[in-house]
Amino acid sequence: MASSSFRPGTPAAGRAVGSARRPRGWWATLRWYVRGVLGEDVYDAYVAHRAATHPEGPVLSEREYWRARTDWQEKNPQGRCC
């Protein structure tokens, strides 16, 4: 009889293990999606970028960031849907 490579207690090939397999929950997923659509996650991405590329430099507050971003968009108009 040929032995099988699958043993009880071990993950099957091709299946995710641990937290990668657990769902985040529908509320967390919905919140993540809405923040992405509305652009609320842009400031978080800015802070992560500054920490990764310029750790010694200052980071704008959220209010300062949105003011600078709005000013830049007003000075550099681009095609937008709204």
Side-chain angles (χ1 to χ4, degrees):
M1 178 176 213
S3 67
S4 172
S5 63
F6 177 76
R7 294 180 305 206
T10 61
R15 285 182 24 198
V17 179
S19 64
R21 182 144 190 206
R22 280 186 228 130
R24 293 175 53 180
W26 68 271
W27 186 251
T29 302
L30 178 63
R31 182 177 182 272
W32 168 83
Y33 177 77
V34 170
R35 288 189 77 219
V37 168
L38 296 178
E40 291 183 24
D41 60 348
V42 175
Y43 178 73
D44 296 336
Y46 160 74
V47 171
H49 169 75
R50 290 293 298 187
T53 59
H54 309 286
E56 71 286 343
V59 176
L60 297 174
S61 70
E62 189 168 4
R63 184 181 185 117
E64 293 169 332
Y65 171 79
W66 285 110
R67 181 74 260 161
R69 183 178 167 102
T70 302
D71 289 345
W72 186 88
Q73 286 178 337
E74 292 296 323
K75 291 175 186 172
N76 303 294
Q78 299 176 4
R80 292 181 271 203
C81 67
C82 306

